[in-house]
Amino acid sequence: MSGDLPLNINIKEPRWDQSTFMGRAQHFFMVTDPRNVLLSSEVLEDARVTIENYRQGIVQPGLTEDQLWRAKYIYDSAFHPDTGEKMLLIGRMSAQVPMNMTITGCMLTFYRTTPAVVFWQWVNQSFNAIVNYTNRSGDAPITMNQLGAAYVSATTGAVITALGLKSLTKHLPAIVARFVPFAAVAAANCINIPFMRQRELKYGIPITDEEGNRLGESASAAQQAIVQVVVSRIGMAVPAMAIPPVIMNALEKKAFMKRFPVLNAPVQVGLVGLCSMKVSSLEPELQERIRQSNPKTTTVYFNKGL
């Protein structure tokens, strides 16, 4: 080994204590740091080499612990955790804040006309499809036919939901219509995510023991993962899509908003801002295989995807 940095730093886990709120907050601030979108291919490649070398017991001369952790978060921001392939730029976690703020703000602003509803729901579902594909769990490939069918189904479902709800709110108070984008997004997530990850439901996702050793693939884990993702996606949309409509409904009555209606969209945009399961819940044949190879393992772990 070259260099003075020890090899016992566990870069498989976050740098900060995940049992505390501040530790989790620091971790996710690093994971979603929008500045990582601007990093060059050379910086990403350097981070990849640094991390892969460290995992193999090779330490670059002069490498410090802070530099190692920085390389780890750069690597995690751009490369898929299961496949190791470089992820699409706008599908990365570091792109979520600027992309979601822009798209969500526009959906909440341009909801009054049918063409605007169709366009922004299409943009949102196109973006979601890219994110779901980029952050899919497991290492099973997905064909272009499967990707196309999932995208068309999810986009069609979102547009139909949005237009259907829009027609139902014509004779209701104006504030009710503001929640149509949120309802459409919630319904679309229930369609989009299972469709985009249908291969995982068929072939399963990788499961590991506490040490990260791969034990096999489980369709049951995939089902649990996808349900958790759907629920968390809807929950994450609440602050950005359910609170701003109430605020904007009050702001639009103010004189300055009536004088400068062009501020509507920027204000809307400004307002937006590892799992486990018991072995006994897995498929019978997989349970038997784990009992034979790892009899002490009672809980397995998996990457549920984004």
Side-chain angles (χ1 to χ4, degrees), residues 30 44 53 160 191 247 285 306:
M30 289 294 292
L44 297 180
N53 282 346
I160 291 175
I191 301 170
I247 298 175
E285 63 274 13
L306 179 63

Side-chain angles (χ1 to χ4, degrees), residues 174-214:
I175 191 172
V176 177
R178 291 181 179 273
F179 289 98
V180 168
F182 171 63
V185 166
N189 274 325
C190 297
I191 301 170
N192 194 330
I193 296 168
F195 262 106
M196 290 300 296
R197 298 173 62 174
Q198 57 187 295
R199 187 175 179 84
E200 297 174 24
L201 293 171
K202 184 176 181 181
Y203 296 104
I205 58 176
I207 58 171
T208 66
D209 60 17
E210 291 183 352
E211 304 301 321
N213 301 310
R214 187 162 174 166

Side-chain angles (χ1 to χ4, degrees), residues 100-262:
N100 271 315
M101 284 183 66
T102 302
I103 295 173
T104 301
C106 288
M107 281 195 297
L108 293 175
T109 302
F110 308 111
Y111 66 92
R112 290 183 173 89
T113 67
T114 297
V117 169
V118 172
F119 176 75
W120 285 108
Q121 286 297 327
W122 168 74
V123 169
N124 185 51
Q125 291 310 313
S126 298
F127 173 64
N128 284 344
I130 293 172
V131 172
N132 291 337
Y133 174 74
T134 303
N135 295 276
R136 65 199 181 281
S137 178
D139 49 15
I142 183 171
T143 67
M144 292 308 295
N145 286 339
Q146 290 172 321
L147 182 61
Y151 169 66
V152 170
S153 300
T155 304
T156 302
V159 171
I160 291 175
T161 301
L163 293 179
L165 292 174
K166 181 176 180 295
S167 65
L168 293 175
T169 60
K170 287 182 178 179
H171 305 295
L172 296 175
I175 191 172
V176 177
R178 291 181 179 273
F179 289 98
V180 168
F182 171 63
V185 166
N189 274 325
C190 297
I191 301 170
N192 194 330
I193 296 168
F195 262 106
M196 290 300 296
R197 298 173 62 174
Q198 57 187 295
R199 187 175 179 84
E200 297 174 24
L201 293 171
K202 184 176 181 181
Y203 296 104
I205 58 176
I207 58 171
T208 66
D209 60 17
E210 291 183 352
E211 304 301 321
N213 301 310
R214 187 162 174 166
L215 302 176
E217 293 77 34
S218 171
S220 296
Q223 293 173 10
Q224 180 174 316
I226 290 172
V227 169
Q228 290 176 346
V229 171
V230 170
V231 173
S232 64
R233 284 283 189 89
I234 294 173
M236 286 190 295
V238 171
M241 302 194 74
I243 298 175
V246 177
I247 298 175
M248 288 304 300
N249 194 61
L251 286 179
E252 286 186 353
K253 298 175 182 177
K254 303 296 183 181
F256 76 95
M257 288 295 288
K258 292 179 179 179
R259 287 183 58 192
F260 304 104
V262 71

Side-chain angles (χ1 to χ4, degrees), residues 260-277:
F260 304 104
V262 71
L263 293 176
N264 197 302
V267 171
Q268 292 270 23
V269 171
L271 290 172
V272 174
L274 242 354
C275 297
S276 64
M277 66 188 301

